Amino acid sequence: SYTFLHEERLLIWKASIAEGEVKFLDREQKPGLIVKVGKKDFRVSTGKGIVKVTEIQPVNKKRMTVESFLQGYTLTPGQILKDQTDFHK
């Protein structure tokens, strides 16, 4: 699967359901909202739950762990991951 961060495509290679993390979930959170950033993963709202992303691939880069990704990129809670259709709104 893939998403966009600041109009840059990110392939998501490994993600799992973040069980028991409802404390981060607000009924008004939009899908794609980054709710938590750790050293080795980040958590994203799906609108119905939260997924934990652990491996991604930025465009024109090699597949990498989120830990490696965060050495060159900054993610913060509150940022939104988008799908391509969001750019045309």
Side-chain angles (χ1 to χ4, degrees):
S1 110
Y2 66 92
T3 188
F4 289 85
L5 177 66
H6 306 299
E7 298 186 24
E8 183 178 325
R9 188 168 126 166
L10 293 176
L11 294 175
I12 298 175
W13 286 96
K14 284 189 182 178
S16 59
I17 296 171
E19 303 274 343
E21 299 216 10
V22 202
K23 62 184 175 186
F24 295 112
L25 191 60
D26 181 329
R27 291 182 188 181
E28 297 185 22
Q29 284 179 349
K30 294 182 180 181
L33 178 71
I34 297 174
V35 295
K36 182 179 179 185
V37 179
K39 290 183 179 183
K40 296 184 179 187
D41 59 53
F42 62 91
R43 316 294 167 97
V44 181
S45 171
T46 66
K48 295 184 179 182
I50 295 176
V51 294
K52 177 172 73 169
V53 180
T54 55
E55 193 170 274
I56 59 177
Q57 181 178 2
V59 69
N60 298 323
K61 304 275 185 183
K62 292 183 180 181
R63 183 175 170 174
M64 64 183 75
T65 63
V66 167
E67 183 175 19
S68 294
F69 175 78
L70 291 174
Q71 291 175 12
Y73 293 82
T74 301
L75 290 180
T76 57
Q79 286 181 296
I80 304 280
L81 300 176
K82 300 181 178 187
D83 69 22
Q84 195 167 14
T85 60
D86 289 338
F87 299 125
H88 304 303
K89 293 181 181 177

